[in-house]
């Protein structure tokens, strides 16, 4: 199953988006929050992201969903075979990815579903 890592400048934000995505998409998807710095401050930590990737990697690929700015740069450091970045809205993209990953979809299909969230309209 595809794993998903939420990368945010805020640990609590990443954790709460993970909770919401799990509530909507189900508990079976490998999902980890990597928010904040190593000491709990605002920022991003390559070490936390790397650990989160290891936690969710089941061999079918991992999607990184960064919130903004330096979290994107941190995610880029982790890109490689089987580890891709989704350029998506943080909340909507996370939910779309978790729901789709829960169906057993491929890395490409989960990434495509997350990327579709850029076009979700609220009105």
């Amino acid at each position: 199953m595809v794993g998903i890592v939420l990368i945010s400048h805020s640990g609590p934000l990443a954790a709460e988006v993970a909770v919401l995505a799990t509530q909507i998409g189900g508990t079976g998807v490998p999902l980890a929050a990597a928010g904040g710095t190593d000491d709990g401050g605002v920022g991003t930590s390559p070490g936390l992201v790397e650990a989160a990737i290891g936690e969710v990697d089941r061999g079918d690929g991992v999607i990184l969903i960064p919130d903004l700015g330096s979290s994107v740069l941190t995610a880029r450091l982790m890109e490689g075979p089987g580890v891709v970045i989704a350029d998506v809205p943080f909340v909507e993209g996370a939910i779309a990815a978790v729901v789709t990953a829960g169906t057993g979809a491929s890395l490409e299909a989960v990434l495509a579903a997350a990327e579709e969230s850029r076009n979700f309209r609220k009105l």
Side-chain angles (χ1 to χ4, degrees):
M1 184 172 288
V2 173
I4 300 160
V5 176
L6 305 179
I7 307 170
S8 174
H9 286 76
S10 167
L13 175 62
E16 289 302 320
V17 172
V19 167
L20 177 63
T22 299
Q23 288 172 336
I24 293 172
T27 60
V29 176
L31 174 65
T37 60
D38 294 327
D39 63 0
V42 174
T44 57
S45 164
L48 291 176
V49 175
E50 188 172 39
I53 292 169
E55 180 184 331
V56 303
D57 189 356
R58 303 290 188 273
D60 295 317
V62 175
I63 294 180
L64 308 177
I65 301 178
D67 61 359
L68 54 100
S70 66
S71 68
V72 176
L73 299 176
T74 300
R76 285 201 177 270
L77 292 173
M78 305 298 159
E79 274 184 303
V83 179
V84 299
I85 299 172
D87 180 13
V88 299
F90 196 61
V91 175
E92 293 89 338
I95 292 169
V98 168
V99 167
T100 306
T103 69
S106 68
L107 178 65
E108 294 78 15
V110 176
L111 181 61
E115 289 176 342
E116 281 183 38
S117 71
R118 280 185 285 190
N119 299 317
F120 292 170
R121 299 202 39 108
K122 295 178 184 171
L123 296 177

